[in-house]
Amino acid sequence: MQAVHGAREMIAGMTPELKSGVYVFCAAGDRDWRALEPLAMFREVEGVSLILEREAARAAGFPVEAPMALITLNVYSALDGVGLTAAVATALAEAGIACNMVAALNHDHAFVPADRAEEALEILKALQAAASAP
């Protein structure tokens, strides 16, 4: 599959999809987190940050704050592509919706407040439609 580089092409092809589940961002601290099967992890200077399904986090005794929904952008965006993250974050910010972007090898993923997930999805669909218009 050929990666998409141009901002307009990435936005026009993003096909946002709201995934099931609710997620939380957690600090692993001194816990052995590997058995928790996080959706994602990142080593920061302060320690390991995890993205866990809310119920798994709750069961493991993590604080469950700021529940997030996951919207996957189904365009194969190039790692060196410019503009997709900025466009998504700007569109959501204009509606007052927080957005935490996570870029993986094949796709970008937007975590938004769970209670505004449907609204965020509609905003991203409208952004895609605008970029697809002639």
Side-chain angles (χ1 to χ4, degrees):
M1 183 178 294
Q2 185 72 13
V4 179
H5 285 83
R8 185 178 179 100
E9 292 80 16
M10 287 188 289
I11 297 164
M14 68 181 178
T15 314
E17 176 185 3
L18 179 60
K19 300 293 191 172
S20 64
V22 176
Y23 299 88
V24 293
F25 288 66
C26 304
D30 59 0
R31 300 175 194 198
D32 183 6
W33 52 267
R34 288 173 281 262
L36 297 173
E37 299 183 11
L39 178 64
M41 63 78 62
F42 196 88
R43 256 181 239 289
E44 298 183 278
V45 171
E46 299 84 358
V48 174
S49 292
L50 306 171
I51 302 174
L52 299 170
E53 290 186 357
R54 177 174 55 188
E55 294 313 312
R58 184 174 283 137
F62 284 99
V64 177
E65 300 170 0
M68 306 295 273
L70 168 58
I71 299 174
T72 294
L73 307 180
N74 288 303
V75 63
Y76 183 41
S77 54
L79 290 174
D80 61 352
V82 176
L84 178 62
T85 298
V88 167
T90 298
L92 294 173
E94 288 173 352
I97 299 175
C99 174
N100 293 280
M101 296 295 295
V102 174
L105 179 60
N106 296 308
H107 303 289
D108 294 273
H109 310 274
F111 287 88
V112 299
D115 62 347
R116 299 196 67 191
E118 292 292 339
E119 181 184 358
L121 181 64
E122 292 308 313
I123 289 167
L124 297 182
K125 286 180 178 179
L127 178 64
Q128 178 184 13
S132 300

